[in-house]
Amino acid sequence: MPFVDPGSTQDLGRDVAAAFERTFGAAPQVVGRAPGRVNLIGEHTDYNAGLCLPLALPHATYAAVARRDDDRVRIASGQETTPWEGVALGPGDVEGWATYVAGVVWGLREAGHDVPGLDILVDGRVPLGAGLSSSAALECSVAVAVVALLGLDLDDDLRRELVAACIRAETEVAGAPTGGMDQTVSLLAHEGAALLIDFDSHSTTAVELGLPAAGLALLVTDTRVSHALVDGGYAARRADCETAAAFLGVASLRHAAAAAVEELEDERIRRRARHIVTEIDRVSATVEALAARDWQQIGRVFRDSHVSMRDDFEISCPELDTAVATAVEAGAVGARMTGGGFGGSSIALVPVERVEAVARAIDTAFVASGFGPPAHLLAEPSAAASVLPV
Ligand code: GLA
């Protein structure tokens, strides 16, 4: 069964450095690496000051960077070797994927760092448009490379500062109104663990998963149905949540009581808010079940989460519903759609010996439903962004 291969960090780092040299005619000074992510549970809770529980994937983006003597920035990729080139990097100055890269340089300058002109080339293994945060991986790989070039020590405080700069790049420069989960986990994840992020207290806690010892694996299925965060669905959900909070007189839905939510008059707003308050509880329930190694309970919580996203938040689609239902029928302990929704990926907790069979069953179900072929990958909880030796 072909799973999407994360490749070897060393080989991919070397490849991106070689591509940089071919494009810009000199070797890079530094290579940054940042992982994509998959969310175990806690969807659309981040911009509601809630809880979420993502983990970093072994699939990452690599950014090779060198300092220039002028103030120009050139941005290329393994696929687009003719660089974007410019001096102004802020909102409205750049178009297309290079916006995410330029936005990080802008965000670091806004945060007070003296970032010179740069040559940048990026490439990677995070599937694009799969709801696995290829854009955050791109931002964070550039961020860690640039601060290494400035000679800064990538400690926890600096990592948190980079999270903020990358979020500004995404929301203010690229214009995707996302909530911060993706950049936080890409820069702060721990190998072998998920990261419990509390967007109210802004604290992060590593939560050991212990999957190998339990004979379990996380199977991610990319439905290959397009998902674009700059499209209207995500922003509309966010606006509904803000409307609900305003009706309830709370600063965010984190502070809304479930009973008060059920009193909301507008039926759609009520369902949106119900998803958020119940989903935040499900994150806590998952953390407790992980501590108790109660996998069946996690399966039930995943099921409820999926139903809530399908019926109350309305962000699923037939391909995601099929992937989730088929995974469970074929032996997964639990499954749910993951990420922003409207396409993208599902995640399933599966006994190791059933992984291939579950993936095959999803492939078969997709053919039977007339859907295009999905892609699968194994989500081994991996380390946060780092700088590679060049
Ligand atoms: C996208 C956004 C995140 C988060 C998720 C949904 O991945 O980038 O901030 O809101 O959707 O949980």
Side-chain angles (χ1 to χ4, degrees), residues 18 22 36 54 68 81 85 92 94 97-98 122 124 127 135 157 192 217-218 223 226 232 250 299 326 341 344 363 383:
R22 282 197 301 278
R68 293 173 56 87
T81 46
E85 208 174 320
V94 192
W97 70 270
V122 297
S135 60
D157 286 345
L218 290 169
T223 62
S226 100
V250 288
T326 309
D363 289 350

Side-chain angles (χ1 to χ4, degrees), residues 81-380:
T81 46
T82 308
W84 176 89
E85 208 174 320
V87 173
L89 309 175
D93 294 327
V94 192
E95 274 179 12
W97 70 270
T99 315
Y100 293 90
V101 177
V104 171
V105 178
W106 173 85
L108 291 171
R109 286 179 177 157
E110 287 283 299
H113 294 289
D114 189 13
V115 184
L118 300 167
D119 286 336
I120 304 172
L121 185 137
V122 297
D123 206 350
R125 288 289 175 94
V126 186
L128 302 178
L132 301 173
S133 292
S134 57
S135 60
L138 176 57
E139 292 151 11
C140 299
S141 67
V142 172
V144 293
V146 171
V147 295
L149 205 63
L150 300 180
L152 302 176
D153 182 18
L154 192 58
D155 59 14
D156 219 57
D157 286 345
L158 182 58
R159 284 178 181 273
R160 283 171 199 278
E161 206 187 294
L162 297 187
V163 169
C166 291
I167 292 175
R168 289 196 69 185
E170 175 134 349
T171 57
E172 295 178 46
V173 185
T178 56
M181 162 170 72
D182 312 337
Q183 295 79 6
T184 307
V185 67
S186 188
L187 282 157
L188 294 168
H190 294 267
E191 195 172 348
L195 192 70
L196 175 64
I197 310 173
D198 183 330
F199 279 91
D200 199 25
S201 66
H202 297 285
S203 64
T204 55
T205 316
V207 175
E208 292 299 322
L209 293 178
L211 298 178
L216 292 167
L218 290 169
L219 174 69
V220 172
T221 299
D222 170 12
T223 62
R224 293 217 171 118
V225 177
S226 100
H227 124 118
L229 290 178
V230 265
D231 284 356
Y234 186 96
R237 295 305 177 282
R238 195 171 174 149
D240 282 352
C241 291
E242 281 160 13
T243 302
F247 271 132
L248 294 167
V250 288
S252 70
L253 288 179
R254 175 68 178 276
H255 302 289
V261 165
E262 294 308 323
E263 300 293 313
L264 282 168
E265 244 172 65
D266 185 289
E267 197 257 348
R268 190 187 77 224
I269 300 294
R270 181 166 70 238
R271 284 189 287 112
R272 303 292 191 251
R274 183 191 297 141
H275 166 71
I276 300 301
V277 297
T278 56
E279 183 80 350
I280 292 171
D281 286 347
R282 284 187 288 269
V283 176
S284 303
T286 302
V287 172
E288 278 166 33
L290 281 168
R293 302 272 170 263
D294 188 347
W295 308 108
Q296 298 305 323
Q297 169 66 359
I298 293 176
R300 287 189 286 272
V301 175
F302 273 25
R303 182 199 56 210
D304 293 349
S305 173
H306 186 77
V307 168
S308 176
M309 290 187 285
R310 187 190 64 200
D311 298 347
D312 281 341
F313 219 59
E314 293 180 288
I315 54 173
S316 191
C317 62
E319 291 83 353
L320 284 169
D321 293 342
T322 300
V324 166
T326 309
V328 173
E329 279 160 27
V333 179
R336 55 186 287 282
M337 60 144 283
T338 181
F342 312 103
S345 296
S346 64
I347 184 168
L349 182 63
V350 187
V352 171
E353 69 280 6
R354 297 290 305 162
V355 167
E356 296 247 340
V358 169
R360 275 185 220 288
I362 296 173
D363 289 350
T364 306
F366 268 47
V367 172
S369 303
F371 303 152
H376 306 280
L377 58 89
L378 294 171
E380 278 160 25

